[in-house]
Amino acid sequence: MYVLFCSYGNDSIALIQWAHERGLKDVYCLYSDTGWSADWWPSRVADGEAMAQSYGFTTARTQSEGMLILVKRKCGWPGAGGQGQFCTAELKVIPALNWLDINDPDNEASAMTGVRRSESKHRSDAPEHVPASERHGGRELWQPLVRHTDEMRNALIRRAGFEVLPHRSLECYPCINANIDDIRLLSEDRIQLIDVTEKALGFTKKRKPRVMFRSARRKGAVGIRAVVQWAAAPRSRDQMEMFPTECDSGYCGG
Ligand code: SF4
C-alpha cells in the first residue's frame, strides 16, 4: 500500500502521475483539509482526485477543526509568540496518523510525498528514502521526485493533463510561512478575514498584538494590512529570495 500525501499543488499532481507511470498498485491519495484553503482550491482538489481515480487510485481526505477554530483555541497564530508551528501537527499530522492507524494498522504502507530538492535551499538535501518516518507513524517514507528539476516535474504535470500553477499550493491561504509572492496573491476577502481574526485575538499579557506574521522578518509590519503593504513594495528578484520560508514537515506545500 502506498499513501501519497497530496495537497494537489504542482508537486502532488506530478507525484500522482509518476506513480501511475511507474505502475504502482494499491495507491491512496490523501488530502488534509485544513479548512483554510483558497475558495477555489476544493475544485482543484476534486480535479486532482478525479485524475487519481481514473488511474485506479483511491482518494481520501482527513478533516480537522480548521485553522480559524484552532487559532482561537490556542489564542494565537502558529509560529507566533513562541507557540511553534502547531498548525501542521493539529490540522494535518494528527488526522493523518489517525487515518493511517485505521487504514494501515500493521504499519506496512509506504508514505510518499512530492518533495523535490530543487524547490529551495531548505530542501536541498531532502532524502529519497527514510526507513522509519516519525511523522508517518514509523512507516517508510519514499520521496521519488527528490532529484526532479522543474522541467521534469512540469512534464509530468502536462502528461497528467494539468497546467502548471504559477504559485504554490493554496491548501492554506495563506500558509503561516508565506513568502512575498504568496502574500501578494491574497484576496481582499481573505485579508479581511485575517484582519478581523487578529483584532479578535487581541494582545498577549506582554501587550503584543496576536498577529499572523512576525513583524521582525517583515520590516516591522504589524498586522495583516501592514504585511500586505510591505509585500507590495517593488523589489528585485534577489531581494524577494531573501524571504523564502517553508515548512519542513513533509506534510505542507507541493
Ligand atoms: S501549509 Fe502552512 S499554514 Fe498550512 S498547516 Fe502547513 S505550515 Fe501550517
Side-chain angles (χ1 to χ4, degrees):
M1 175 181 184
Y2 299 95
V3 182
L4 279 52
F5 287 80
C6 296
S7 70
Y8 293 100
N10 284 329
D11 292 343
S12 299
I13 298 295
L15 178 65
I16 295 168
Q17 181 66 19
W18 185 91
H20 167 63
E21 292 179 7
R22 180 71 181 252
L24 296 190
K25 303 288 179 220
D26 199 14
V27 174
Y28 288 73
C29 299
L30 187 63
Y31 174 71
S32 307
D33 187 348
T34 64
W36 188 238
S37 70
D39 288 347
W40 62 274
W41 198 250
S43 69
R44 163 87 181 183
V45 172
D47 289 346
E49 288 179 336
M51 185 261 286
Q53 288 162 14
S54 77
Y55 293 159
F57 300 166
T58 303
T59 58
R61 302 182 186 192
T62 60
Q63 302 300 322
S64 64
E65 63 193 303
M67 180 69 96
L68 286 181
I69 293 174
L70 174 65
V71 163
K72 285 173 189 162
R73 178 164 68 79
K74 296 271 190 181
C75 295
W77 296 89
Q83 289 215 67
Q85 193 169 296
F86 56 77
C87 51
T88 314
E90 300 276 351
L91 303 178
K92 294 182 169 183
V93 180
I94 294 170
L97 289 175
N98 290 339
W99 187 94
L100 285 165
D101 282 348
I102 293 167
N103 292 281
D104 177 43
D106 297 327
N107 275 28
E108 288 172 349
S110 294
M112 295 177 70
T113 80
V115 163
R116 294 179 308 120
R117 291 177 184 161
S118 62
E119 283 176 75
S120 65
K121 278 187 195 153
H122 196 67
R123 292 188 169 166
S124 60
D125 60 352
E128 180 175 354
H129 291 281
V130 177
S133 167
E134 198 183 323
R135 291 190 181 107
H136 300 89
R139 293 169 181 83
E140 181 203 9
L141 173 63
W142 183 17
Q143 307 189 118
L145 305 189
V146 284
R147 291 178 201 83
H148 274 55
T149 61
D150 284 1
E151 291 71 27
M152 294 160 75
R153 190 267 322 258
N154 293 350
L156 281 165
I157 293 171
R158 294 201 180 93
R159 291 203 294 278
F162 279 69
E163 293 296 320
V164 178
L165 290 175
H167 50 71
R168 302 200 286 192
S169 162
L170 300 184
E171 59 182 330
C172 285
Y173 180 65
C175 171
I176 56 146
N177 297 313
N179 62 24
I180 291 170
D181 285 331
D182 302 327
I183 302 274
R184 287 178 175 178
L185 273 182
L186 290 178
S187 65
E188 174 53 29
D189 280 0
R190 188 52 58 109
I191 294 166
Q192 202 172 1
L193 181 57
I194 297 168
D195 190 28
V196 166
T197 307
E198 287 180 335
K199 287 183 174 130
L201 288 169
F203 294 83
T204 66
K205 284 181 188 155
K206 293 183 178 171
R207 301 301 300 159
K208 287 193 175 165
R210 291 191 167 109
V211 292
M212 182 170 192
F213 296 109
R214 284 184 203 165
S215 57
R217 302 179 77 175
R218 297 171 177 86
K219 281 217 161 172
V222 177
I224 187 64
R225 296 266 175 215
V227 168
V228 168
Q229 271 189 3
W230 162 81
R235 288 179 181 83
S236 67
R237 187 40 58 180
D238 282 354
Q239 287 173 312
M240 301 273 285
E241 284 167 3
M242 286 169 65
F243 301 97
T245 49
E246 62 193 16
C247 167
D248 65 357
S249 66
Y251 273 82
C252 299

